[in-house]
Amino acid sequence: MDGEDLSGYSWVKHSVNKAYKLKPVSSAAPAPDSFMGRLAVALAVPPASTATVHSPRYFSRCRGLVRGAMPLVAPACPSSRPPSAAASPRQMTTTTRLEGRSLLVGGRELLAQSPPEVTLRTGVDDAAPGAAFLGATAAAPSSRHVFSLGTISKGWRWLSLFRFKIWWMAPKMGPDAAGVPAETQMLLLETRNGAEDAVYALVLPVLDGDFRASLQGAPGDELQFCFESGDPDVQTMEAVDAVFVNSGDNPFKLIKESIKLLSKIKGTFRHIESKEIPAYLDWFGWCTWDAFYRAVSPAGIEEGLQSLREGGAPPKFLIIDDGWQEIVNEFKEVDDAPIEQTMFAERLVHQKENDKFRGEACKNFGDLVKKIKEKHGVKYVYAWHALLGYWGGVHATSDAMKKYNPKLVYPVQSPGNVANLRDVAIDSLQKFGVGIIDPEKIYEFYNDQHSYLSSVGVNGVKVDVQNVLETIGQGFGGRVALTRKYQQALEDSIVQNFKGNDIICCMCHNSDNIYSAMKSAVARASEDFMPREPTLQTLHIANVAFNSLLLGEIFIPDWDMFHSKHESAEFHGAARALSGGGVYVSDKPGVHNFSVLKKLVLPDGSILRARHAGRPTCDSLFDDPVMDGKSLLKIWNVNNLSAVIGVFNCQGAGNWTWPVNDIPHVPTTVNITGHFSPSDVESLEEIAGDDWNGETAVYAFHSCNLSRLQKNQSLEVSLCTMACEIYTISPIKVFGEAVRVAPLGLLNMFNSGGALDSIASSVDSSYTVIQIKCRGPGRFGVYSSASPAICRVDAHEVEFSYSDDGLLAFDLPDGPSLSHLRNIEILYRMS
């Protein structure tokens, strides 16, 4: 905080912040050749460099934590309790603490052999006694440190979410610290005493001032954290709040509560529950990317919209992806052909549409957008652009760009960027450079871009290539400072120019972006759907589900577009129905499978979106659903009145794309048998209510089987490679004297229960009447313990079928307004 006015701040003693060292403090002077001796010399002698040295410290304004002054060595065991007050057993098992060289969480040793330079700051929140921050000190200042945390103790297994390439995260599972991949951004660990007694530890490397942390394994079974600023002139000697640690007995609650707590402490991002959710998410969409790539045109857009609309799946949401902007490729060979790999270095010339969108058939972008909405009934039109304007940024000498003070810079990739898979796009930018807007002008740039798009009827934007900022922080205060500057300007421009929080963030899976998202509410959950890569289809589903564990607490995860006419269409479609995010395709015009689409989209273009982010069930978290040859992937979600579990066989069809294997994968068919249970669904009791006895009705979408299960009972499921089954799970409730009912929803839709809105009942001397509000049209189903006397839809009696397994079904016809709820009445005569 050099140069800052510190008035108005009050110092907080170490005993309040509870900063622990693994090694007790000695009053004797340290030996000159010891770690502390070298540290004392480093502190006594100012560095010769003119670099900014950040010395993390802490003091408080009210309860907010602000970077201030903190000694490098804290008292060995400070405590706010009187010396005579012993910790209770409850406190001992829920707090995170250091004992000797061991880090204990939830009463169990998580890390052993931690070096003496590791620090622990506890007491970060009274409501979360297990929450703490790990840090470390170094002998000299640097812009990049790698600190050891010790070894992961025996008995733990872990799930890592790591960046396998600069843009995207993916999961990896393992038992040993050495296997934790570089660029790990979430580490969830589990240990058990017996079958039921589980403890979960969450380790999140976060942002600490102008520095960003990540985890990695090392030889010798060592767990390390990397701490870097991305600018050689932004240096520090210590990390204080670099790695967040928390523990609990429920992994989903642990992650959610930890992200909420981090948001409160850091103040740089918000939990998804505090954000405005874009309205487009509840409508079916179409994206131009895989349909045309950069050859998108007005005629192609209209053709695609019309073919989907005529087939009964009308898009109400459209993304005009890459291909509409005016760009230039400055890198030409003698024959005027672009030099290889320079497409990613192409740069934006101005902020309006290119010549394809100006002519007789389409006068301009505004003319096209108006036609799209009026003729084809589209409600929301989004336009694509990169964070820096285009892949290669902006054309620095363009007349339209000069006012933003652009300059050409060359990205520098950190060791973490190249530790897993290199990426051709960033390698190209590193070679040819990127035109970056002056950070002081970036809001003006975004505001000009977005105000123009808004003026021609565009409703929002998809903003791509976001992680590029981490490679160009030098000279701008580092990667974290630059990211926050751009993100704030971007979000402020969205608020200024669009009616809703209308932005989709893409290629944004670094923690710099994730923990700087104050308003952005939607983010792509994985690398692109790639229709031409058959071995990537199953791992796409596993990838998005696991990434949603972290992303789903800060964003609505976007599981990307897919093709409805593709060998994996049913597989992808079922997964999108459980995702809790948008549902959109990128079909070529006229190339559609409406059988798949009509399981996702109602005739009015709306979708049945589940309430949360789809995530793997608890018993799936630490098993590899792609390559272990035995595990099924189970994804859960909830609706208003019911839950849903999708079971997917992702084995055999492909391998994870890291590490790189020179031998191509040969797809095989693997038949796997597993089990699922209503208890796999988190928070099922919240849906059921207090008077529920634990019994459920379970309906299988593909087999059309209806079963009754107690919450802890299970069913066997067998699937071949790239096959799936979707189970609607509805709590059975008792109405009247003895009628047991569980609404299932629209049986012809993947997420049947997503159509249900509410259920109520009335009882008189003659009838027990069940009243259900449900969207339609479609085949409505409900579990019923008895055959009713009458069924009505919108006050009209309808024919129904009733089977021995308790399935009551009838049709919900088209209504006068497809968006209205149907009023269903089921009448049972009193005995």
Side-chain angles (χ1 to χ4, degrees):
M1 295 191 60
D2 295 349
E4 290 193 30
D5 180 9
L6 302 184
S7 61
Y9 291 87
S10 60
W11 294 101
V12 173
K13 294 180 180 179
H14 254 327
S15 59
V16 176
N17 283 325
K18 300 181 184 175
Y20 287 79
K21 286 290 291 183
L22 285 171
K23 188 175 182 181
V25 180
S26 171
S27 60
D33 59 346
S34 69
F35 168 77
M36 291 308 298
R38 294 193 302 272
L39 181 55
V41 172
L43 288 174
V45 181
S49 168
T50 59
T52 301
V53 179
H54 291 244
S55 181
R57 307 164 181 184
Y58 282 93
F59 48 90
S60 170
R61 179 189 289 169
C62 299
R63 293 189 61 83
L65 292 174
V66 184
R67 185 55 58 87
M70 177 186 236
L72 289 173
V73 183
C77 294
S79 173
S80 57
R81 293 190 302 268
S84 60
S88 69
R90 168 69 178 167
Q91 290 171 322
M92 293 293 289
T93 57
T94 59
T95 58
T96 296
R97 66 190 192 279
L98 290 169
E99 288 188 1
R101 296 182 63 188
S102 298
L103 177 71
L104 277 67
V105 299
R108 306 188 190 181
E109 184 184 63
L110 175 63
L111 295 174
Q113 302 176 31
S114 296
E117 57 265 31
V118 173
T119 61
L120 179 69
R121 191 172 76 86
T122 62
V124 298
D125 190 273
D126 293 340
F133 285 102
L134 289 168
T137 58
S142 176
S143 62
R144 187 175 189 271
H145 297 279
V146 176
F147 296 108
S148 173
L149 289 171
T151 63
I152 297 177
S153 301
K154 292 186 180 299
W156 293 88
R157 57 177 181 165
W158 50 258
L159 162 67
S160 160
L161 296 184
F162 75 105
R163 284 198 298 163
F164 73 98
K165 62 171 64 173
I166 186 172
W167 318 110
W168 305 111
M169 290 193 301
K172 183 181 178 183
M173 301 81 177
D176 302 319
V180 175
E183 282 295 312
T184 287
Q185 299 189 137
M186 187 191 91
L187 195 66
L188 179 68
L189 303 99
E190 179 196 63
T191 187
R192 287 182 177 270
N193 281 342
E196 299 299 328
D197 183 19
V199 171
Y200 296 91
L202 180 65
V203 184
L204 291 173
V206 293
L207 307 183
D208 190 15
D210 290 332
F211 282 73
R212 175 251 185 193
S214 61
L215 300 174
Q216 59 191 40
D221 203 26
E222 184 180 25
L223 182 65
Q224 301 174 335
F225 78 92
C226 175
F227 196 61
E228 57 190 335
S229 72
D231 187 339
D233 291 335
V234 179
Q235 301 185 356
T236 189
M237 294 179 62
E238 58 179 340
V240 180
D241 281 0
V243 180
F244 177 84
V245 181
N246 203 359
S247 61
D249 59 7
N250 181 305
F252 305 109
K253 289 182 180 178
L254 173 62
I255 296 173
K256 181 175 184 176
E257 292 169 0
S258 295
I259 292 298
K260 284 187 170 182
L261 180 57
L262 269 174
S263 173
K264 173 184 171 184
I265 293 171
K266 294 290 186 178
T268 61
F269 71 100
R270 290 178 183 161
H271 188 269
I272 185 59
E273 291 178 359
S274 301
K275 296 180 179 181
E276 180 184 0
I277 306 303
Y280 84 86
L281 287 167
D282 292 317
W283 299 91
F284 174 59
W286 180 56
C287 177
T288 63
W289 179 241
D290 284 318
F292 308 109
Y293 298 109
R294 295 203 298 180
V296 60
S297 67
I301 291 173
E302 285 208 73
E303 185 183 359
L305 291 171
Q306 183 170 336
S307 64
L308 284 165
R309 182 165 53 89
E310 291 176 348
K316 299 298 179 179
F317 163 59
L318 169 69
I319 300 176
I320 302 176
D321 214 292
D322 189 0
W324 68 270
Q325 296 168 292
E326 186 67 38
I327 59 173
V328 63
N329 189 323
E330 302 175 274
F331 309 97
K332 305 287 184 178
E333 294 179 332
V334 177
D335 60 357
D336 207 37
I339 299 173
E340 187 178 2
Q341 293 187 355
T342 59
M343 69 167 282
F344 295 109
E346 293 173 334
R347 297 176 183 136
L348 186 67
V349 176
H350 58 71
Q351 293 159 310
K352 295 186 178 181
E353 64 275 17
N354 58 36
D355 290 343
K356 290 188 297 182
F357 294 85
R358 296 178 184 170
E360 294 183 5
C362 175
K363 296 177 182 178
N364 51 45
F365 220 40
D367 182 54
L368 174 64
V369 173
K370 182 179 180 182
K371 190 181 297 185
I372 285 170
K373 292 183 175 182
E374 292 180 353
K375 180 179 177 181
H376 300 285
V378 174
K379 292 176 176 286
Y380 306 97
V381 176
Y382 277 35
W384 178 98
H385 71 77
L387 187 71
L388 300 183
Y390 199 68
W391 286 89
V394 300
H395 190 219
T397 60
S398 162
D399 290 340
M401 296 298 157
K402 287 180 181 179
K403 68 175 183 175
Y404 307 118
N405 298 336
K407 71 175 183 177
L408 189 64
V409 298
Y410 290 85
V412 177
Q413 299 188 66
S414 74
N417 294 146
V418 297
N420 297 313
L421 288 185
R422 297 191 72 103
D423 182 78
V424 62
I426 196 66
D427 285 350
S428 175
L429 295 177
Q430 189 169 350
K431 179 178 180 180
F432 298 105
V434 59
I436 182 175
I437 299 290
D438 182 346
E440 299 305 317
K441 296 280 188 177
I442 189 59
Y443 174 77
E444 182 182 356
F445 172 77
Y446 289 144
N447 186 56
D448 288 348
Q449 176 72 87
H450 298 154
S451 63
Y452 171 70
L453 290 172
S454 179
S455 73
V456 297
V458 171
N459 301 95
V461 288
K462 172 185 173 182
V463 182
D464 222 333
V465 203
Q466 295 198 15
N467 283 5
V468 68
L469 290 178
E470 71 178 77
T471 67
I472 55 177
Q474 184 172 350
F476 296 107
R479 55 188 290 173
V480 175
L482 188 63
T483 296
R484 284 180 178 158
K485 184 82 172 180
Y486 269 67
Q487 283 293 338
Q488 181 178 347
L490 178 65
E491 292 182 340
D492 287 350
S493 178
I494 296 297
V495 171
Q496 177 67 28
N497 293 289
F498 300 116
K499 292 182 179 179
N501 191 15
D502 291 299
I503 179 173
I504 302 170
C505 298
C506 194
M507 300 175 77
C508 58
H509 285 192
N510 64 10
S511 53
D512 315 47
N513 276 300
I514 292 170
Y515 296 128
S516 297
M518 292 293 289
K519 299 172 184 174
S520 301
V522 179
R524 270 276 304 282
S526 78
E527 191 169 27
D528 295 11
F529 163 73
M530 297 184 182
R532 302 174 184 175
E533 298 288 346
T535 62
L536 300 184
Q537 305 311 311
T538 55
L539 66 86
H540 181 101
I541 306 306
N543 209 341
V544 292
F546 277 92
N547 285 348
S548 293
L549 288 164
L550 174 60
L551 295 177
E553 299 299 337
I554 302 171
F555 306 98
I556 302 293
D558 177 340
W559 288 18
D560 202 17
M561 64 198 90
F562 69 103
H563 277 178
S564 71
K565 195 166 187 176
H566 191 275
E567 63 178 1
S568 64
E570 189 91 5
F571 202 73
H572 277 284
R576 300 309 188 279
L578 309 182
S579 72
V583 175
Y584 59 112
V585 295
S586 193
D587 294 352
K588 292 181 182 297
V591 184
H592 315 290
N593 183 341
F594 289 103
S595 174
V596 171
L597 291 178
K598 289 181 179 180
K599 299 170 187 175
L600 291 162
V601 188
L602 292 175
D604 66 345
S606 64
I607 63 169
L608 307 181
R609 188 165 69 90
R611 284 170 49 179
H612 304 308
R615 287 160 287 180
T617 59
C618 188
D619 60 344
S620 297
L621 291 176
F622 301 95
D623 297 324
D624 185 346
V626 173
M627 291 181 61
D628 73 4
K630 60 182 181 181
S631 299
L632 296 171
L633 173 63
K634 296 187 290 183
I635 301 172
W636 68 273
N637 213 321
V638 295
N639 298 298
N640 289 336
L641 302 179
S642 63
V644 59
I645 289 180
V647 186
F648 299 81
N649 185 348
C650 301
Q651 305 281 352
N655 284 350
W656 296 114
T657 53
W658 60 92
V660 176
N661 191 339
D662 294 331
I663 302 174
H665 174 75
V666 178
T668 58
T669 297
V670 182
N671 293 302
I672 297 178
T673 297
H675 297 82
F676 81 93
S677 168
S679 63
D680 290 336
V681 176
E682 179 68 17
S683 67
L684 187 59
E685 290 85 354
E686 295 176 15
I687 301 168
D690 296 335
D691 56 346
W692 179 49
N693 67 3
E695 189 178 24
T696 66
V698 179
Y699 182 78
F701 178 83
H702 287 109
S703 68
C704 302
N705 289 330
L706 179 63
S707 306
R708 285 165 48 204
L709 291 179
Q710 282 293 325
K711 178 186 173 183
N712 293 317
Q713 290 182 308
S714 63
L715 281 180
E716 184 176 274
V717 54
S718 295
L719 297 169
C720 63
T721 296
M722 208 181 291
C724 63
E725 182 60 283
I726 310 298
Y727 296 94
T728 294
I729 301 171
S730 184
I732 297 175
K733 305 296 287 291
V734 179
F735 297 92
E737 292 182 350
V739 177
R740 300 192 307 277
V741 170
L744 301 171
L746 297 181
L747 303 180
N748 53 300
M749 307 293 283
F750 282 131
N751 183 22
S752 305
L756 296 167
D757 180 75
S758 62
I759 185 170
S761 66
S762 61
V763 180
D764 61 24
S765 59
S766 301
Y767 289 97
T768 295
V769 182
I770 308 299
Q771 300 148 338
I772 300 171
K773 292 184 182 294
C774 182
R775 291 161 66 186
R779 185 71 173 171
F780 175 80
V782 57
Y783 165 77
S784 174
S785 61
S787 179
I790 301 170
C791 293
R792 298 190 186 120
V793 178
D794 294 333
H796 298 286
E797 188 171 337
V798 295
E799 294 184 358
F800 63 88
S801 64
Y802 183 77
S803 55
D804 292 341
D805 58 7
L807 180 60
L808 170 65
F810 47 87
D811 290 329
L812 302 184
D814 291 344
S817 176
L818 296 176
S819 61
H820 287 174
L821 294 170
R822 301 296 193 280
N823 294 301
I824 298 168
E825 292 179 299
I826 306 172
L827 285 73
Y828 300 87
R829 285 193 175 92
M830 300 290 286
S831 57

